[in-house]
């Protein structure tokens, strides 16, 4: 669109220049003047492809009729596109030749050349106005564009380098966390599994053997989950996006694994009841995984802080959300010998905080509060 406007402007300006000059309007018919101006306008319209036709029309028009608009536009595009040095020098040499031809034509005939070549000062001023200033403007615009392009490329390069440094720092931190988890957590859980296995073999009664077998099974499952987490931590970032993901990682738990979790909790002496409400339907994997973690964390807290208190797990399928509620009764701590190493289970205190962040990432809400009578409620609503 802007090149159409440019061509129209060059056509109108050229027609006004040649039609208003003394001697030209009287010696040439109007259709010829319109054709000359139209040729200049057409060449200006095609300047986005090549500016040389416009320069040729401008040179002929200036030498013949002092028609300066096309030569002025051609000079601007010459500064915008020509390579510095030899190209600019060649163009200026051609423009000087055109100015010389125009001066000779003005000496041979009366007409519009008289004003442009009346004195050397007029000729120099006309050349500067028509050629020099547009050429300098084109060179300035070109230099500014190059500076902005260089700055843009530099900013993009710095941004890429910053992203690479951040990815490298994250990879190093993930590797450090993986090493710490392997050296500390995996080692301790492995000792628990080994001691539980030894206790199962040496148990004097069946109940103790079953308890030891259950502890060993839970420990092995914890080691498997820990292995999966370590595999994710050690995986490159593209693996987290799905490309090149480790094939030996087990699928994350969903609501289908909830009964197994409840059975493990019941084996620890906690009476757990599950209630499903609404029409069961498939939901997103992230929603099921988050719901499973809500139940897992809530039952862990029941075991740690409420002893053998009973708990109710309620899964409610709504029209646009999945609601999970875990409500436990008032704590009934079992009798433990004073000084026993199992008197209190330590906790980091970040379980519910991390759980709330996990739920809020999916646009849901998590509520955890004490109830009248000493019970506790953990309730989550996850959009599905």
């Amino acid at each position: 669109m802007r090149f159409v406007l440019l061509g129209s402007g060059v056509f109108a300006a050229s027609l006004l220049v040649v039609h208003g000059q003394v001697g030209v309007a009287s010696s040439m018919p109007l259709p010829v003047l319109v054709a000359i101006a139209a040729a200049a306008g057409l060449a200006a319209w095609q300047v986005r492809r090549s500016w040389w036709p416009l320069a040729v029309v401008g040179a002929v028009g200036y030498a013949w009729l002092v028609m300066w608009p096309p030569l002025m536009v051609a000079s601007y595009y010459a500064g915008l596109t020509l390579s510095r040095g030899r190209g600019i020098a060649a163009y200026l040499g051609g423009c000087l030749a055109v100015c010389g031809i125009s001066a000779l034509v003005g000496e041979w005939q009366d007409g519009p050349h008289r004003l442009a070549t009346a004195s050397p000062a007029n000729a120099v001023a006309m050349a500067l106005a028509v050629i020099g200033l547009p050429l300098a403007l084109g060179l300035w615009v070109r230099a500014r564009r190059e500076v902005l392009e260089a700055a843009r490329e530099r900013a993009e390069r710095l941004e890429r380098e910053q992203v690479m440094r951040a990815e490298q720092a994250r990879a190093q931190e993930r590797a450090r966390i993986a090493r710490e988890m392997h050296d500390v957590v995996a080692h301790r859980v492995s000792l628990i599994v080994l001691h539980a296995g030894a206790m199962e073999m040496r148990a004097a009664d069946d109940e103790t053997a079953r308890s030891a077998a259950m502890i060993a099974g839970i420990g092995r499952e914890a080691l498997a989950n820990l292995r999966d987490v370590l595999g994710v931590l050690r995986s490159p970032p593209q693996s987290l996006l799905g490309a090149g993901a480790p094939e030996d990682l087990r699928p994350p738990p969903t609501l289908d694994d909830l009964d197994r979790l409840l059975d493990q909790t019941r084996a620890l002496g906690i009476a757990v009841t599950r209630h499903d409400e609404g029409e069961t339907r498939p939901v997103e994997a992230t929603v099921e995984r988050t719901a499973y973690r809500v139940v897992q964390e809530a039952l862990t807290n029941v075991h740690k802080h409420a002893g053998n208190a009973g708990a109710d797990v309620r899964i409610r399928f709504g029209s646009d959300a999945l609601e999970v509620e875990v409500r436990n009764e008032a704590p009934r701590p079992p009798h433990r010998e004073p000084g026993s190493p199992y008197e209190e289970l330590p906790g980091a205190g970040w379980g519910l905080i991390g759980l709330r962040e996990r739920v809020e990432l999916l646009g849901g809400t998590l509520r955890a509060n004490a109830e009248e009578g000493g019970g506790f409620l953990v309730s989550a609503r996850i959009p599905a």
Side-chain angles (χ1 to χ4, degrees), residues 172-361:
Q172 293 175 352
E173 182 64 15
R174 290 158 65 91
R176 186 190 67 81
I177 294 174
R179 288 194 300 268
E180 292 293 332
M181 292 180 65
H182 179 271
D183 294 342
V184 179
V185 181
H187 177 67
R188 295 290 188 264
V189 177
S190 298
L191 291 179
I192 293 174
V193 173
L194 291 176
H195 284 289
M199 183 184 298
E200 179 184 3
M201 296 181 62
R202 300 173 182 174
D205 54 89
D206 294 339
E207 183 179 356
T208 304
R210 285 194 299 269
S211 299
M214 181 190 65
I215 295 173
I218 295 176
R220 293 189 188 95
E221 184 177 355
L223 284 175
N225 293 335
L226 183 60
R227 183 196 63 182
D228 294 343
V229 173
L230 294 180
V232 172
L233 287 175
R234 291 194 175 104
S235 300
Q238 57 268 27
S239 297
L240 302 179
L241 300 177
E247 297 179 356
D248 57 345
L249 294 183
R250 300 190 309 168
T254 61
L255 292 179
D256 294 336
D257 303 309
L258 192 58
D259 287 333
R260 184 165 55 89
L261 175 65
L262 299 184
D263 290 338
Q264 292 177 353
T265 305
R266 296 185 185 102
L268 295 175
I270 300 177
V272 182
T273 305
R274 175 177 175 175
H275 305 277
D276 291 346
E277 299 179 1
E279 183 179 355
T280 304
R281 58 184 175 87
V283 295
E284 294 85 349
T286 53
V287 174
E288 290 198 19
R289 183 162 60 249
T290 302
Y292 179 90
R293 296 304 184 191
V294 170
V295 177
Q296 184 184 44
E297 178 64 24
L299 293 179
T300 301
N301 288 338
V302 172
H303 183 68
K304 290 167 59 176
H305 305 297
N308 294 328
D312 289 333
V313 176
R314 193 174 302 275
I315 308 296
R316 183 180 299 110
F317 287 87
S319 59
D320 59 349
L322 178 66
E323 299 180 6
V324 181
E325 290 184 0
V326 180
R327 178 181 282 103
N328 64 273
E329 301 171 355
R332 295 197 307 268
H335 176 72
R336 290 169 180 158
E337 295 295 334
S340 171
Y342 304 102
E343 187 170 350
E344 183 179 355
L345 293 175
W350 295 97
L352 290 177
I353 296 176
L355 196 61
R356 177 174 284 107
E357 293 175 352
R358 181 192 290 265
V359 172
E360 291 178 351
L361 281 176

Side-chain angles (χ1 to χ4, degrees), residues 63-129:
W64 181 21
L65 303 172
V66 197
M67 188 176 65
W68 51 264
L71 186 60
M72 176 181 289
V73 177
S75 299
Y76 170 78
Y77 277 94
L80 201 62
T81 58
L82 281 178
S83 60
R84 293 183 178 87
R86 185 175 299 177
I88 298 296
Y91 181 79
L92 289 177
C95 290
L96 289 177
V98 170
C99 292
I101 294 174
S102 178
L104 292 177
V105 173
E107 291 294 331
W108 291 340
Q109 65 180 18
D110 295 332
H113 298 79
R114 288 298 183 185
L115 181 61
T117 60
S119 65
N122 283 12
V124 171
M126 192 70 178
L128 287 177

Side-chain angles (χ1 to χ4, degrees), residues 16-26 65-68 111-113:
L16 289 175
V17 168
V18 296
H19 187 266
Q21 290 174 351
V22 179
V24 174
S26 59
L65 303 172
V66 197
M67 188 176 65
W68 51 264
H113 298 79

Side-chain angles (χ1 to χ4, degrees), residues 24-87:
V24 174
S26 59
S27 61
M28 291 186 180
L30 182 60
V32 175
L33 299 179
V34 172
I36 296 173
L42 182 61
W45 175 49
Q46 297 295 326
V47 74
R48 58 179 176 179
R49 298 180 180 176
S50 176
W51 62 272
W52 283 106
L54 181 63
V56 173
V57 173
V60 174
Y62 188 81
W64 181 21
L65 303 172
V66 197
M67 188 176 65
W68 51 264
L71 186 60
M72 176 181 289
V73 177
S75 299
Y76 170 78
Y77 277 94
L80 201 62
T81 58
L82 281 178
S83 60
R84 293 183 178 87
R86 185 175 299 177

